[in-house]
Coordinates of all heavy atoms in Angstrom, one line a residue:
N312 N -77.0 38.7 -119.9 CA -76.8 37.3 -119.7 C -78.0 36.6 -119.3 O -78.0 35.8 -118.3 CB -75.7 37.2 -118.6 CG -74.4 37.8 -119.0 OD1 -74.0 37.8 -120.2 ND2 -73.7 38.5 -118.1
I363 N -100.0 26.3 -102.3 CA -101.0 27.3 -102.5 C -102.4 27.0 -102.0 O -103.1 27.8 -101.4 CB -101.1 27.7 -104.0 CG1 -99.8 28.4 -104.5 CG2 -102.3 28.5 -104.4 CD1 -99.6 29.8 -103.9
K540 N -114.5 50.8 -73.9 CA -114.3 50.9 -75.3 C -114.2 52.2 -75.9 O -113.3 52.6 -76.6 CB -115.6 50.2 -75.9 CG -115.2 48.8 -76.6 CD -116.3 48.5 -77.6 CE -115.8 47.2 -78.4 NZ -116.2 45.9 -77.7
N708 N -118.2 34.3 -65.9 CA -117.0 34.7 -66.7 C -116.3 33.4 -66.9 O -115.7 32.8 -66.0 CB -116.2 35.7 -65.9 CG -115.0 36.1 -66.7 OD1 -113.9 35.6 -66.4 ND2 -115.1 37.0 -67.6
G848 N -109.8 12.8 -91.8 CA -108.9 13.6 -92.7 C -108.5 14.9 -92.0 O -108.0 15.8 -92.6

Side-chain angles (χ1 to χ4, degrees):
N312 302 322
I363 292 294
K540 252 201 170 85
N708 181 261

